[in-house]
């Protein structure tokens, strides 16, 4: 089956209908097929390269937080968070650490095959040219997983990159950040090669009055290398390939509480433009994760998650015939497979001896078929897309042995599979040259991750059990909105109502026991406001979301009925003001705000609201050399990222970066 993803488009390209008329110059873009007509009916917020590069922290999470409604499970970024907790979600549908948004890089899903988190540390902002955040469920290719929306990251092309550039920064705690990037033209095609290294001793995430002798700063060390090449095969047909290697090591809270992540990703994409259009994609991901848990009372190892090797692979074919009187059709098939096994050792906090060995894992598969029609007539544009997903949960197991090898538990879970029908439809009407009205309805699907299905975990003294019987999440939602745009300003207002059925959450059963269970639903209703203004060399952006999100629960979850989901804020937003007098000079201020959140599903352990001010400046020193200055949390806000019964973790304190950028 996997071979068919490339065979069909290659055969089709032999037909002359797929080629444009020959020209003297072959043109390559490195991009996907253009978005279908009618996509403007969806609530989409775009982030350009200038805004991407002006993030005060230099991290992609910080960039995405400029879009109201985006959230990770915790407020920490990828320097001081446990990687397995860095899921991405939109529209206040959070509550666990798995991504409910589909995150794509050049069309390839990025979520970890076992845990479902996003390796944000491996996504260097300087490699990107554009980000499009589409709020609301349902999607085209790889749509299973897009219950809260889609975050599409696009690599920068040679027209956005210097032929050779490098940057080196240091902060006031001795942390360093360095990257180098080359973007040479190769004949009619091009290539990009980049490497980035971030390291630092970090800051104390533990408040002064809760530190112990074993408490240490949150040290981090992350490296990534990426190579990308684009070459023309014929007029209107190009081949795009990408390879990425990355590693990350972190220490959280206590000495010895070390985690590590590694990955090797590769993808190839064939794009044919013409009367008939084709986009074919194949990818493979090899990931691993390890983590040592330290006792918070004796400060010795109690769990060694030695390794979690996982594999993700998949591909898609999308075909767009010539436009008809009805509009533009698109047909496609996609496939995703995620498999992985976690191996861990339980250790006595008193003796230091091994007490139990555990292995757990399985395989998830999804085969999707999709078809869509979009078009426009006069001032009216529309889109409709329908997906049918055949999902399979198989090969699940959990095995535990004593230190002597005696079998304590040996569970094998029955294979499950079913079809899920999802999709979305939208209309947009241009009421005038400046004002448009839009509406959309959608249905989304997400199958529980291997982590949710099979892996229990402990954050002392609370034990959270896995649940191999979890059902897929299904979302129903609709939205209405209005857009206003002039030559130098735009304003977008969207009201939405989303209901996530079978929402997976960690449900409290006793004070020290939780289990992953399907809630009846999480209902989120709210308003999003996005705006941008440009005048001369100045620009301003703002985005805010006000959301009323509640749990609908019965049975064991009945006590949660009406509660706000964990980690969800009623108000979140941000604003940025920038001055760019010319290409190499920029000064920007960034403001982020997140409202009160609860740590637990019982609406206890408050995470107070926080407002953060950041800054970025790039000032030319010579024709090729610039001075770069960045500031994080300049007002010194106390950001609480975790609160478990009064035991808290803190987010990034005031941090100042300075360095140079050289272009050739």
């Amino acid at each position: 089956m996997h071979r068919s993803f490339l065979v069909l488009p290659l055969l089709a390209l032999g037909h002359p209908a797929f080629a444009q008329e020959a020209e003297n110059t072959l043109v390559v873009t490195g991009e996907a097929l253009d978005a279908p007509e009618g996509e403007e009916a969806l609530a989409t917020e775009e982030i350009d390269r200038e805004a991407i590069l002006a993030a005060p922290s230099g991290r992609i999470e910080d960039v995405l937080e400029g879009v109201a409604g985006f959230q990770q499970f915790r407020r920490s970024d990828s320097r001081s968070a446990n990687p397995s907790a860095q899921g991405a979600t939109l529209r206040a549908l959070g509550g666990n650490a798995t991504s409910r948004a589909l995150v794509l890089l050049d069309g390839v899903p990025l979520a970890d095959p076992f845990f479902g988190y996003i390796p944000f540390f491996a996504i260097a902002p300087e490699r990107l040219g554009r980000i499009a955040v589409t709020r609301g469920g349902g999607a085209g290719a790889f749509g299973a997983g897009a219950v809260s929306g889609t975050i599409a990251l696009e690599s920068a092309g040679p027209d956005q990159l210097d032929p050779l550039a490098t940057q080196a920064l240091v902060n006031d705690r001795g942390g360093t950040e360095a990257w180098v990037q080359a973007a040479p033209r190769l004949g009619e095609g091009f290539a990009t090669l980049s490497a980035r290294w971030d390291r630092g001793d970090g800051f104390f995430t533990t408040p002064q009055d809760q530190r112990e002798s074993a408490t240490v700063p949150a040290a981090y060390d992350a490296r990534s290398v990426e190579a990308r090449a684009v070459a023309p095969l014929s007029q209107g047909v190009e081949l795009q390939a990408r390879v990425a290697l990355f590693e990350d090591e972190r220490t959280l809270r206590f000495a010895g509480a070390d985690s590590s992540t590694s990955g090797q990703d590769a993808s190839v994409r064939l794009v044919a433009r013409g009367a008939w259009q084709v986009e074919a994609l194949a990818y493979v991901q090899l990931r691993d994760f390890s983590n040592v848990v330290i006792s918070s009372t004796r400060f010795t190892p109690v769990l060694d998650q030695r390794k979690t090797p996982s594999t993700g692979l998949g591909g898609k074919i999308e075909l767009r015939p010539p436009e008809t009187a009805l509009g533009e059709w698109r047909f496609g098939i996609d496939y995703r497979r995620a498999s992985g096994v976690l191996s861990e050792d339980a250790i006595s906090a008193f003796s230091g001896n091994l007490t139990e060995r555990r292995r757990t894992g399985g395989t998830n598969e999804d085969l999707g078929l999709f078809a869509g029609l979009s078009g426009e007539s006069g001032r009216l544009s529309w889109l409709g897309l329908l997906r049918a997903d055949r999902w399979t949960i198989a090969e699940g197991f959990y095995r535990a042995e004593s230190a002597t090898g005696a079998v304590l538990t040996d569970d094998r879970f029955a294979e499950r599979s079913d079809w899920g029908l999802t999709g979305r439809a939208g209309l947009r009407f241009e009421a005038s040259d400046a004002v448009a009205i839009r509406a959309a309805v959608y249905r989304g699907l997400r199958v529980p991750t291997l982590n949710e299905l099979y892996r229990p975990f402990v954050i002392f003294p609370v034990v959270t059990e896995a649940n191999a019987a979890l059902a897929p999440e299904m979302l129903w939602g609709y939205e209405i909105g209005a857009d206003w745009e002039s030559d130098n300003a735009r304003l977008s207002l969207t009201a939405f109502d989303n209901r996530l059925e079978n929402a997976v959450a960690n449900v409290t059963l006793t004070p020290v026991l939780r289990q992953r269970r399907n809630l009846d639903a999480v209902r989120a209703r709210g308003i999003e406001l996005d705006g941008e203004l440009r005048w001369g060399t100045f620009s301003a952006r703002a985005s805010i979301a006000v959301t009323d999100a509640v749990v609908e629960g019965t049975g064991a979850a009945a006590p949660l009925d009406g509660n706000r989901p964990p980690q969800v804020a009623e108000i979140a937003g941000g604003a940025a003001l920038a001055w760019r007098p010319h290409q190499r000079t920029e000064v920007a201020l960034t403001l982020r705000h997140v409202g009160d959140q609860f740590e637990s599903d019982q609406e206890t352990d408050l995470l107070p609201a926080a407002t953060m001010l950041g800054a970025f400046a790039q000032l030319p020193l010579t024709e090729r050399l610039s001075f770069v200055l960045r500031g994080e949390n300049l007002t010194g806000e106390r950001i609480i990222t975790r609160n478990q019964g009064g035991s808290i973790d803190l987010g990034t304190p005031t941090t100042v970066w300075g360095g140079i950028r050289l272009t050739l």
Side-chain angles (χ1 to χ4, degrees):
M1 168 152 185
H2 311 311
R3 296 175 182 172
S4 66
F5 281 106
L6 290 179
V7 172
L8 289 177
L10 288 173
L11 290 176
L13 288 172
H15 195 280
F18 282 90
Q20 297 175 338
E21 292 183 5
E23 298 179 1
N24 294 329
T25 302
L26 299 177
V27 178
V28 298
T29 67
E31 300 174 356
L33 293 177
D34 293 337
E37 296 175 344
E39 288 286 308
E40 292 181 343
L42 305 174
T44 300
E45 183 70 7
E46 295 189 3
I47 308 173
D48 60 25
R49 180 168 172 81
E50 290 178 336
I52 293 172
L53 296 180
S57 67
R59 313 192 77 79
I60 196 65
E61 311 97 291
D62 196 4
V63 177
L64 292 171
E65 285 172 359
V67 178
F70 170 84
Q71 72 170 94
Q72 300 180 84
F73 179 58
R74 299 198 184 279
R75 299 172 177 180
S76 308
D77 65 28
S78 53
R79 295 167 293 188
S80 60
N82 188 293
S84 63
Q86 290 199 273
T89 299
L90 298 164
R91 287 199 164 157
L93 294 172
N96 69 18
T98 298
S99 295
R100 287 191 167 115
L102 174 64
V103 182
L104 304 169
L105 174 57
D106 294 333
V108 176
L110 286 182
D112 182 85
F114 188 92
F115 293 96
Y117 68 84
I118 307 300
F120 286 113
F121 72 91
I123 308 170
E126 60 271 6
R127 296 172 185 156
L128 300 179
R130 175 180 173 270
I131 301 173
V133 180
T134 301
R135 309 175 179 110
F142 305 120
V147 290
S148 69
T150 303
I151 301 173
L153 313 174
E154 297 180 7
S155 295
D159 57 328
Q160 298 173 297
L161 301 173
D162 294 301
L164 181 62
T166 185
Q167 179 173 289
L169 301 175
V170 63
N171 70 22
D172 55 339
R173 289 188 298 275
T176 59
E177 172 194 308
W179 58 262
V180 61
Q181 185 168 263
R185 289 281 186 176
L186 300 176
E188 303 293 345
F190 66 88
T192 60
L193 178 64
S194 67
R196 177 162 169 158
W197 183 20
D198 301 284
R199 65 154 306 279
D201 294 333
F203 58 90
F204 281 100
T205 59
T206 308
Q208 179 70 46
D209 60 355
Q210 294 185 7
R211 294 177 193 169
E212 306 286 350
S213 58
T215 303
V216 295
Y220 62 95
D221 192 338
R223 292 85 63 192
S224 66
V225 177
E226 179 183 285
R228 184 169 179 258
V230 179
L233 300 183
S234 64
Q235 186 63 43
V237 182
E238 63 185 64
L239 186 66
Q240 307 166 10
R242 175 181 174 270
V243 176
L245 310 174
F246 50 85
E247 293 181 341
D248 174 76
E249 297 166 357
R250 306 180 201 176
T251 299
L252 303 179
R253 198 175 176 91
F254 299 120
D258 302 327
S259 68
S260 67
T261 306
S262 63
Q264 304 87 44
D265 292 2
S267 63
V268 61
R269 180 165 66 176
L270 188 70
V271 178
R273 297 176 175 87
W276 287 78
Q277 300 184 71
V278 172
E279 185 174 313
L281 172 73
Y283 72 88
V284 61
Q285 299 162 333
L286 305 177
R287 306 281 178 83
D288 201 356
F289 173 77
S290 66
N291 185 51
V292 176
V293 179
I294 300 295
S295 166
S296 59
T297 55
R298 300 187 63 86
F299 313 114
T300 58
V302 292
L303 185 66
D304 182 4
Q305 297 170 321
R306 294 182 288 109
K307 56 182 180 180
T308 316
S310 60
T311 302
L313 58 86
K316 77 158 188 176
I317 297 175
E318 181 175 335
L319 175 65
R320 299 184 189 178
E323 189 168 354
T324 68
L326 293 176
E328 183 182 52
W329 289 94
R330 56 192 295 213
F331 304 96
I333 179 173
D334 58 65
Y335 173 78
R336 297 173 70 180
R337 185 179 191 272
S339 61
V341 175
L342 168 70
S343 300
E344 63 182 21
D345 298 336
I347 303 167
S348 169
F350 297 94
S351 67
N353 295 328
L354 174 71
T355 60
E356 192 174 309
R357 292 188 184 275
R358 309 180 190 121
R359 295 182 75 248
T360 187
T363 299
N364 285 356
E365 291 185 300
D366 182 273
L367 175 65
L369 305 172
F370 61 93
L373 175 65
S374 58
E376 57 184 23
S377 177
R379 292 183 174 271
L380 182 67
S381 60
W382 67 88
L383 70 87
L385 188 138
L386 192 65
R387 279 188 62 94
D389 286 274
R390 177 68 174 181
W391 57 265
T392 302
I393 298 174
E395 302 175 357
F397 75 95
Y398 179 85
R399 181 181 176 88
E401 299 177 353
S402 69
T404 61
V407 177
L408 303 176
T409 306
D410 191 7
D411 292 332
R412 296 292 188 272
F413 304 108
E415 178 177 322
R416 294 184 286 146
S417 62
D418 202 352
W419 285 93
L421 192 64
T422 63
R424 61 189 180 191
L427 291 172
R428 185 175 188 269
F429 176 69
E430 295 182 1
S432 69
D433 292 340
V435 178
I437 309 298
R438 52 184 166 79
V441 61
Y442 37 80
R443 181 166 172 80
L445 164 73
R446 186 184 76 86
V447 177
T449 62
L450 302 175
N451 175 62
E452 292 170 312
L453 290 165
Y454 307 124
R455 172 187 166 259
F457 67 94
V458 179
I459 300 179
F460 186 81
V462 179
V463 176
T464 301
E465 297 180 337
N467 186 352
L470 289 173
E473 297 179 338
M474 299 295 296
L475 178 130
W476 279 104
Y478 65 89
E479 63 192 47
I480 57 174
D483 303 320
W484 172 82
E485 187 169 358
S486 68
D487 292 338
N488 59 356
R490 67 175 180 86
L491 190 65
S492 178
L493 178 66
T494 304
F496 65 89
D497 188 341
N498 287 186
R499 187 173 188 270
L500 183 64
E501 301 170 352
N502 296 326
V504 176
N506 300 330
V507 176
T508 299
L509 305 179
T510 72
V512 294
L513 179 63
R514 296 175 182 170
Q515 186 184 36
R516 296 188 183 97
R517 293 197 174 183
N518 291 113
L519 303 173
D520 291 20
V522 169
R523 181 81 175 271
R525 290 170 286 190
I527 295 174
E528 298 158 344
L529 180 65
D530 301 289
E532 184 175 10
L533 177 64
R534 296 181 181 271
W535 67 101
T537 58
F538 290 88
S539 65
R541 296 171 60 98
S543 182
I544 186 170
V546 180
T547 310
D548 177 24
V550 297
V551 171
E552 297 178 6
T554 58
L560 309 180
D561 189 62
N563 286 2
R564 194 197 314 171
Q567 309 296 333
V568 168
E570 291 184 355
I571 300 176
L577 176 65
W579 174 59
R580 300 183 181 95
H582 54 77
Q583 185 176 4
R584 296 181 52 234
T585 300
E586 179 176 2
V587 178
L589 293 176
T590 303
L591 190 69
R592 302 276 189 263
H593 175 80
V594 59
D596 292 342
Q597 298 168 290
F598 292 113
E599 178 75 34
S600 83
D601 57 355
Q602 307 292 306
E603 289 195 336
T604 58
D605 298 334
L606 181 69
L607 307 176
T611 302
M612 294 76 70
L613 177 67
F616 170 87
Q618 178 176 299
L619 306 172
L621 300 176
T622 68
E623 183 180 356
R624 301 295 182 185
L625 189 65
S626 298
F627 175 64
V628 177
L629 185 66
R630 297 199 314 239
E632 304 178 63
N633 192 10
L634 293 177
T635 58
E637 183 84 340
R638 190 172 189 258
I639 307 165
I640 297 180
T641 64
R642 183 190 66 88
N643 180 2
Q644 185 168 307
S647 173
I648 68 176
D649 286 339
L650 301 176
T652 305
T654 300
T655 306
V656 178
W657 294 83
I660 58 172
R661 186 173 192 266
L662 177 65
T663 61
L664 299 174

